[in-house]
Amino acid sequence: GKMAAAAERGGSPLLSAGEEEPPLGLDSLVEEAAAAAPSAGFRLTAVRREPAVRLQHGVSGLEPLAWSEDHRVSVSTARSIAVLEQLSDIHSGGQEMVIHRTAVPAPSTACLLKVGPKKEVAECKEKFANSMDPTVSQTFMLDRVFNPEGKSLPPMRGFKYSSWSPLGCDANGRCLLAALTMDNRLTMHANLNRLQWVQLVDLTEIYGERLYEAGYKLSKTDTPRGELGDFPEFQRRHSMQTPVRMEWSGICTTQQVKHNNECRDVGSVLLAVLFENGNIAVWQFQLPFLGKESITSCNTIESGISSPSVLSWWEYEHNNRKMSGLIVGSASGPVKILPVNLKAVKGYFTLRQPVVLWQEMDQLPVHSIKCIPLYHPYQKCSCSLVVAARGAYVFWCLLLISKAGLNVHNSHVTGLHSLPIVSMTADKQNGTVYTCSSDGKVRQLIPIFTDVALKFEHQLIKLSEVFGSVRTHGIAVSPCGAYLAVITTEGMINGLHPVNKNYQVQFVTLKTFEEAAAQLLESSVQNLFRQVDLTDLVRWKILKDKHIPQFLQEALDKKIESCGSTYFWRLKLFLLRILYQSMQKAPSEVMWRPSHEDTKILISDSPGMGSTEDDQEEGTSKQASRQSLCDTGKGMDIDDTADDSLPQSSDIGGREPMEEKLLEIQAQIEAVEMHLTREHMKRVLGEVYLHTWITENTSIPTRGVCDFLMSDAGYDDRTARVLIGHILKKMNKQTFPEHCSLCKEILPFTDRKQAVCSNGHIWLRCFLTYQSCQSLVYRRCLLHDSIARHPTPEDPEWIKRLLQGPCTFCDSPVF
């Protein structure tokens, strides 16, 4: 299509792409004035969120921080990738964020790229190292791609870059992690149980093998180059398989033809890998990704960009047609979009030829690109905002497809930072971009559409006001934009640099509690697990205030009345559970610390404890006073208990309403859980009715579930009654009871959570199928809320599909 390229800055006349930008002096003055008085609508108050997580090793690579869609933060360090998983824990009353920590260790051996037969490579290396031509010997000896294990140089340890796949790629339906080590090994990892990461595939090795088999030619028509013994050819073979960056596409659908010629839709995902010579390998993986056998194809595209530095996917939807391409940036300045032809992917189109977004070789390196899909309010269509960090400036480009073809508006935002931008991150939901330089200054840029293109409203977040004097090494924004994670080390103190660096990941809030609550109520995803950062902010507020704010309760009740979605019931359950936690009395001492009841400790000096005369009573009186400590502490913050820790005379009177309040909340929790169980039971029965001729024994206790639903006289749901009537008609008089595997007695269905046989054997019930789990192994949801059985080979497809569901109470995935 035709291309209208227009560069636009503020209110200035349109510049053509080749014209010079105005000098920065004036801009920065205007900028300071703007920073002093940002518009009232966008005032951001950043608040520190505990805890800060100390890293064991120094941070390595560019953009060392990434935040996945399933709420895991990865940090590239010199020995491993530290992974911090944020949980919105319903069982803990502590106000700190709950973070579960794991790590992906760096490989123990150096990665040598495959450039030819082993023996020949060793001979060539010897030859180049001892060459009389210093341009060859020195280039060879000092190049870390040729010599990753170092010999005279220190070994290359740590990670260069890590990238998270979209949600739904591994066997548990969560994100995969692609990791690139400093010595160019590109691997993919999955966290299949709670603790350990498994390497699924080594892509560097597979790609090297492919190149070797093809004789290092990319296409059949490629002319054969020189021998491996020629230094330029030796360099070429290395640079064509040295990854610079890798990025995941969104999940797309492909069609697979089965043996009986039926077509079925299969999810797949693409990983684009940018190499040093400008080539891009596009790997296609079938989902769920299990390992080497899930690789569908690998195509190599030549970008024609010299010294490439970064890439990003461009995914654009226009009139239900999906466009895709790859945005590539260079260390010398230019940025362009390359077409990507996707074979066997339904509904995807691409550009006819590459589109240049910025063509100047101005030596401003592009080191981060983000592509954000937005809706254009004036043109009434979807558009893509591409932002790239170039030196200390942000380059932006707005792409939209109109009848005239592809429109490209581009410009730079200047005067944001006085030092180069070290890290950039974007909140995909509203298009807000955050940039940071190493001096602890973070800028928030909010795109505002004008009738022609757009402008940015921006404001400064000084991390020194939150954390004190710090240096920053990377930032990442959480999936729903509630938190900003920052890697910090100590800044200058009294004009002096710190003697040693302690790297830590710290968290800052970007939203207020009210904004988080509103976003949860208006959510389009309707899944609590996918909005953990928002639910965590709400959790923090309720634990602090010990009540659910009135406006939230009213708005939620309105939603529940007006709309049939169970999501709002789950949100209500979450709020009630947190409220219950906030009212629990604080444990008087740390659970894991051993109690020294029997050792003689003189406790007469401790505040608030009466001195004990008799040594014999010391242990008991200590226990008693500790008991009184917790009882009074029940209704207050733990901090308040120190002041009046002696039991007051009103203690007994004051305790009753508290107990009643807890019982009342417990009853509400029970009622909401019951509602959610019944709704899910209806869904399960619907599946049973649809998928069975007569409801033969499908490993779902159909009769038990029906009886359980009908047992409560107060429960009158017409759909449930009609459905049960149909099912019982189908079943006739058959019952198919479940039997206890220990004593063969019948397991009655009296309780939704467990089954107890007449001999007292207790089995937990699978909350997805309501079958009793009578094997030793079963799965648990992430928050330990409920359990589910493993699918068995004899289960029909529809039961396997049911078993893939998330927890019916907290939406979290099941392991």
Side-chain angles (χ1 to χ4, degrees):
K2 289 192 194 122
M3 222 175 114
E8 94 102 348
R9 289 194 79 258
S12 63
L14 296 181
L15 303 165
S16 76
E19 263 182 76
E20 282 301 299
E21 291 281 326
L24 301 181
L26 183 82
D27 244 89
S28 43
L29 287 174
V30 176
E31 143 58 22
E32 285 310 311
S39 76
F42 296 119
R43 195 72 209 116
L44 176 72
T45 46
V47 181
R48 182 181 189 149
R49 181 79 171 98
E50 295 296 341
V53 181
R54 178 91 176 268
L55 297 171
Q56 285 143 327
H57 305 287
V59 164
S60 65
L62 291 163
E63 294 282 345
L65 202 56
W67 204 319
S68 75
E69 284 176 26
D70 61 356
H71 304 280
R72 295 186 282 196
V73 180
S74 63
V75 193
S76 308
T77 74
R79 292 285 180 278
S80 64
I81 293 179
V83 181
L84 316 173
E85 178 168 7
Q86 185 191 358
L87 298 176
S88 192
D89 199 351
I90 45 178
H91 307 296
S92 90
Q95 287 185 25
E96 290 198 338
M97 232 183 205
V98 180
I99 289 174
H100 177 208
R101 191 168 168 163
T102 48
V104 182
S108 50
T109 54
C111 168
L112 294 164
L113 300 176
K114 191 172 180 69
V115 290
K118 263 192 180 166
K119 193 173 171 216
E120 197 184 332
V121 172
E123 286 167 8
C124 290
K125 284 190 168 186
E126 189 71 24
K127 176 179 136 189
F128 299 141
N130 301 322
S131 166
M132 297 314 285
D133 181 351
T135 57
V136 172
S137 60
Q138 291 199 7
T139 308
F140 173 79
M141 291 305 285
L142 293 174
D143 194 312
R144 298 316 305 262
V145 178
F146 307 148
N147 295 306
E149 70 269 37
K151 298 291 190 289
S152 54
L153 303 164
M156 297 286 277
R157 290 295 295 272
F159 288 86
K160 198 188 286 189
Y161 190 62
S162 69
S163 174
W164 290 101
S165 77
L167 199 60
C169 290
D170 77 356
N172 292 321
R174 301 190 72 187
C175 301
L176 294 164
L177 182 64
L180 177 60
T181 60
M182 282 291 196
D183 58 5
N184 304 308
R185 190 194 304 263
L186 174 57
T187 49
M188 278 165 60
H189 303 261
N191 172 216
L192 297 173
N193 55 26
R194 280 196 173 76
L195 299 172
Q196 132 208 44
W197 285 84
V198 183
Q199 180 180 311
L200 298 176
V201 69
D202 180 339
L203 291 178
T204 296
E205 190 186 336
I206 297 172
Y207 195 66
E209 285 294 336
R210 288 186 174 210
L211 285 176
Y212 178 65
E213 283 161 21
Y216 298 91
K217 293 188 294 188
L218 289 176
S219 61
K220 301 274 190 297
T221 54
D222 238 5
T223 50
R225 312 286 170 103
E227 290 299 310
L228 185 61
D230 305 341
F231 194 53
E233 172 63 8
F234 184 80
Q235 284 175 304
R236 184 185 82 91
R237 288 189 189 183
H238 275 92
S239 78
M240 71 193 295
Q241 51 179 318
T242 304
V244 179
R245 285 279 175 103
M246 64 285 170
E247 295 296 343
W248 297 89
S249 72
I251 291 178
C252 39
T253 314
T254 53
Q255 279 204 331
Q256 191 186 49
V257 181
K258 295 192 336 199
H259 299 302
N260 56 359
N261 280 345
E262 262 185 50
C263 278
R264 74 178 187 128
D265 284 353
V266 177
S268 67
V269 71
L270 306 163
L271 180 70
V273 185
L274 176 66
F275 294 105
E276 218 171 58
N277 68 346
N279 289 350
I280 300 170
V282 180
W283 295 87
Q284 187 174 4
F285 306 121
Q286 190 176 316
L287 299 180
F289 186 86
L290 305 168
K292 212 168 178 174
E293 67 276 14
S294 303
I295 298 174
T296 316
S297 66
C298 175
N299 298 314
T300 304
I301 305 168
E302 295 185 51
S303 75
I305 282 193
S306 56
S307 59
S309 57
V310 60
L311 92 160
S312 174
W313 280 91
W314 176 61
E315 291 173 320
Y316 183 91
E317 207 159 321
H318 173 63
N319 294 345
N320 296 333
R321 288 164 60 115
K322 287 179 177 166
M323 303 281 286
S324 71
L326 281 165
I327 309 166
V328 184
S330 156
S332 51
V335 180
K336 70 177 178 181
I337 302 184
L338 302 171
V340 178
N341 282 311
L342 304 179
K343 292 178 187 141
V345 179
K346 286 201 308 192
Y348 270 79
F349 299 85
T350 191
L351 303 161
R352 293 206 189 103
Q353 72 267 0
V355 176
V356 178
L357 304 183
W358 184 254
Q359 62 186 16
E360 301 298 305
M361 299 282 269
D362 49 19
Q363 303 310 315
L364 280 179
V366 183
H367 78 82
S368 180
I369 294 179
K370 298 277 179 265
C371 181
I372 307 157
L374 292 174
Y375 179 77
H376 201 304
Y378 299 109
Q379 307 285 342
K380 303 270 186 291
C381 67
S382 54
C383 58
S384 294
L385 172 63
V386 176
V387 280
R390 299 179 70 241
Y393 318 121
V394 170
F395 165 75
W396 64 263
C397 184
L398 188 69
L399 301 153
L400 61 106
I401 294 173
S402 68
K403 292 192 173 67
L406 181 68
N407 293 314
V408 182
H409 298 272
N410 63 9
S411 179
H412 282 79
V413 186
T414 56
L416 293 173
H417 295 277
S418 50
L419 289 170
I421 293 169
V422 292
S423 186
M424 180 171 77
T425 180
D427 178 355
K428 290 276 168 73
Q429 294 196 331
N430 58 12
T432 308
V433 177
Y434 297 88
T435 58
C436 102
S437 52
S438 60
D439 55 3
K441 291 196 171 92
V442 174
R443 282 273 176 192
Q444 180 194 41
L445 293 108
I446 299 167
I448 299 190
F449 285 97
T450 60
D451 44 1
V452 185
L454 52 78
K455 59 180 193 201
F456 284 96
E457 177 82 46
H458 51 85
Q459 58 173 320
L460 181 63
I461 306 170
K462 275 193 183 157
L463 293 178
S464 56
E465 289 170 7
V466 187
F467 302 127
S469 170
V470 286
R471 286 181 73 87
T472 39
H473 304 270
I475 53 172
V477 69
S478 65
C480 301
Y483 290 118
L484 187 73
V486 193
I487 301 176
T488 62
T489 50
E490 294 84 351
M492 290 177 75
I493 296 158
N494 301 333
L496 296 172
H497 287 286
V499 180
N500 40 16
K501 281 184 180 178
N502 292 309
Y503 286 90
Q504 31 186 13
V505 179
Q506 311 217 46
F507 296 93
V508 176
T509 62
L510 295 175
K511 288 197 155 105
T512 61
F513 159 74
E514 287 74 16
E515 288 169 318
Q519 206 170 323
L520 282 168
L521 287 170
E522 298 306 323
S523 159
S524 57
V525 292
Q526 302 225 332
N527 179 306
L528 292 176
F529 171 70
R530 290 181 63 175
Q531 307 177 83
V532 163
D533 48 340
L534 297 173
T535 58
D536 186 73
L537 265 182
V538 171
R539 173 179 163 270
W540 187 26
K541 171 81 171 170
I542 295 172
L543 287 172
K544 268 197 308 204
D545 297 357
K546 299 194 185 312
H547 73 94
I548 302 170
Q550 195 64 37
F551 84 90
L552 179 54
Q553 259 178 333
E554 285 168 8
L556 189 54
D557 290 340
K558 229 180 237 153
K559 285 276 186 194
I560 285 174
E561 272 169 44
S562 66
C563 141
S565 165
T566 53
Y567 163 73
F568 297 110
W569 286 89
R570 289 193 296 275
L571 181 54
K572 183 175 183 173
L573 176 62
F574 171 77
L575 298 178
L576 287 169
R577 283 168 160 180
I578 300 305
L579 181 62
Y580 187 76
Q581 285 300 334
S582 73
M583 304 221 164
Q584 291 283 50
K585 59 179 182 182
S588 52
E589 40 173 66
V590 188
M591 296 302 189
W592 50 264
R593 202 171 281 153
S595 60
H596 298 295
E597 298 293 53
D598 50 353
T599 52
K600 295 281 181 232
I601 308 167
L602 188 63
I603 54 168
S604 57
D605 298 337
S606 55
M609 305 257 187
S611 62
T612 50
E613 309 303 322
D614 190 4
D615 256 2
Q616 295 305 310
E617 290 170 19
E618 205 163 287
T620 49
S621 78
K622 183 172 146 192
Q623 240 166 340
S625 49
R626 184 183 304 128
Q627 192 59 46
S628 70
L629 239 169
C630 345
D631 285 352
T632 44
K634 211 174 242 182
M636 326 171 205
D637 265 333
I638 314 165
D639 310 342
D640 304 346
T641 56
D643 310 332
D644 63 353
S645 50
L646 283 169
Q648 304 288 307
S649 54
S650 64
D651 180 38
I652 310 300
R655 207 170 80 199
E656 292 308 314
M658 201 61 191
E659 298 274 323
E660 272 171 37
K661 191 95 173 93
L662 281 173
L663 287 171
E664 188 189 318
I665 296 169
Q666 221 165 348
Q668 282 179 295
I669 288 175
E670 201 45 46
V672 177
E673 281 188 1
M674 194 55 147
H675 175 84
L676 286 167
T677 302
R678 283 174 177 153
E679 287 302 304
H680 185 65
M681 280 179 170
K682 273 157 56 180
R683 201 183 133 216
V684 172
L685 289 178
E687 293 280 333
V688 169
Y689 181 68
L690 283 177
H691 290 99
T692 50
W693 286 108
I694 62 147
T695 35
E696 71 274 359
N697 196 359
T698 56
S699 82
I700 284 180
T702 312
R703 173 76 69 162
V705 173
C706 292
D707 293 347
F708 182 80
L709 275 178
M710 305 306 284
S711 62
D712 183 3
Y715 176 62
D716 188 33
D717 183 325
R718 191 156 174 275
T719 25
R721 284 185 186 280
V722 172
L723 183 61
I724 289 169
H726 284 310
I727 285 178
L728 295 182
K729 204 180 284 173
K730 242 188 191 185
M731 284 181 78
N732 208 342
K733 293 210 164 46
Q734 291 159 308
T735 53
F736 301 122
E738 281 190 290
H739 292 274
C740 171
S741 63
L742 292 179
C743 63
K744 302 289 173 277
E745 286 291 321
I746 284 182
L747 286 173
F749 199 117
T750 48
D751 184 348
R752 60 199 168 85
K753 286 188 174 169
Q754 56 184 30
V756 186
C757 82
S758 52
N759 290 331
H761 299 130
I762 299 178
W763 306 104
L764 294 172
R765 286 200 180 280
C766 161
F767 71 96
L768 291 170
T769 63
Y770 297 107
Q771 189 191 10
S772 55
C773 292
Q774 299 190 42
S775 62
L776 288 173
V777 287
Y778 47 75
R779 304 173 305 145
R780 276 181 99 163
C781 82
L782 188 68
L783 297 183
H784 291 225
D785 205 4
S786 46
I787 72 154
R789 69 182 182 85
H790 283 280
T792 59
E794 52 271 15
D795 281 337
E797 278 301 308
W798 62 275
I799 286 192
K800 285 181 180 161
R801 205 171 53 243
L802 266 179
L803 285 170
Q804 280 170 354
C807 175
T808 51
F809 300 126
C810 65
D811 283 333
S812 67
V814 185
F815 294 94

